[in-house]
Amino acid sequence: MQTAPQKPESRSIARTRDFLKQIVFGGNDGIVTTFAIVAGFAGAQADGTAQIGGIGVLVFGLANLFADAVSMGLGEFLSLRSRHAMYRTRRSQFEGTRSAAAVRRFLLARGVADQNAAQVTEVLESHPDVLADLAMTFEHGMTDPDQESPWVSGLVTFLAFVAFGSLPLLPYFVGGVGDAALGWSVATTASALIALGLLRWRVTEDPALRAVGETVLVGAICAGVAYGVGWVVGG
């Protein structure tokens, strides 16, 4: 019986999957962080969001948005650079017999017969680079990061943070504050979280309800904390 050929993966989905961690991490943090400013001001009703004015929310929100976006982008860059350096340092230790021993230990731990493990290791010893890469994966759970560019990863994180994080501020660009602007901000924030959840679902093929539900739940918890702090401080 022939199986139906699988639909080839589109290039856009493949590229999105490559940077899913940066998009979800930066996008979710951008949404939550920026809405925290809006929710904090809304919670501090005694001192008056109305007295601060829409321009005040925008100033604080945009300053926070871009400062955190730069911090997140550079943090991703430095994190990946550090991972590259750590990988090279540890990989240099896996040469010759040490790599073979590490791979053989892994195979034995997974239930491969000793004779078969010895045969596989012997074959791999003629490919020392492959053997060292496998040893790094088995011993430290690390894969070769050379295909990941720290600059590109940092830029994707920055752009995701700004793109998603700017949505809670959109209602304030038309001016004014109050229940109407706050309501629209809640709506745009929820829409952004749903869009991010749908992106997770589309790329990972996890159940849609779980992908969207988890994303919205995390955002709602963080927004609720921000509103509560503003309410307590503002009296």
Side-chain angles (χ1 to χ4, degrees):
M1 173 182 271
Q2 293 184 342
T3 58
Q6 291 185 342
K7 185 179 179 180
E9 188 178 69
S10 68
R11 174 168 293 192
S12 60
I13 292 297
R15 293 298 293 169
T16 302
R17 181 174 286 115
D18 290 341
F19 296 103
L20 182 63
K21 179 181 78 72
Q22 290 84 359
I23 294 172
V24 172
F25 188 42
N28 186 78
D29 203 38
I31 296 168
V32 170
T33 301
T34 308
F35 185 72
I37 299 295
V38 176
F41 279 133
Q45 291 181 10
D47 286 329
T49 323
Q51 295 177 19
I52 297 172
I55 189 64
V57 177
L58 281 176
V59 168
F60 282 101
L62 289 174
N64 182 77
L65 174 67
F66 283 96
D68 278 359
V70 171
S71 177
M72 288 280 293
L74 291 178
E76 177 67 18
F77 166 78
L78 293 175
S79 174
L80 196 51
R81 281 286 292 268
S82 299
R83 183 166 173 258
H84 281 212
M86 184 169 61
Y87 182 88
R88 288 192 295 269
T89 299
R90 289 186 172 181
R91 192 183 184 283
S92 66
Q93 302 170 357
F94 282 102
E95 296 179 355
T97 56
R98 184 172 179 184
S99 292
V103 172
R104 186 170 181 176
R105 281 196 305 271
F106 175 82
L107 294 174
L108 292 174
R110 290 300 181 95
V112 178
D114 183 71
Q115 182 179 359
N116 292 336
Q119 290 175 344
V120 170
T121 305
E122 183 179 355
V123 171
L124 289 173
E125 283 181 326
S126 61
H127 304 279
D129 288 338
V130 175
L131 191 61
D133 288 340
L134 289 174
M136 281 293 296
T137 301
F138 298 155
E139 288 284 288
H140 299 296
M142 299 179 68
T143 56
D144 188 351
D146 284 345
Q147 300 300 318
E148 300 176 278
S149 168
W151 284 109
V152 174
S153 294
L155 179 61
V156 171
T157 302
F158 170 83
L159 293 176
F161 193 104
V162 172
F164 283 96
S166 62
L167 296 179
L169 294 176
L170 285 180
Y172 293 90
F173 277 102
V174 298
V177 292
D179 292 340
L182 177 61
W184 280 110
S185 183
V186 171
T188 56
T189 299
S191 299
L193 290 169
I194 291 172
L196 195 60
L198 290 174
L199 178 64
R200 284 183 56 198
W201 162 70
R202 182 71 178 87
V203 173
T204 65
E205 298 183 357
D206 278 345
L209 184 60
R210 184 174 71 181
V212 175
E214 287 177 348
T215 306
V216 173
L217 178 62
V218 169
I221 291 173
C222 296
V225 170
Y227 185 89
V229 171
W231 180 77
V232 170
V233 174

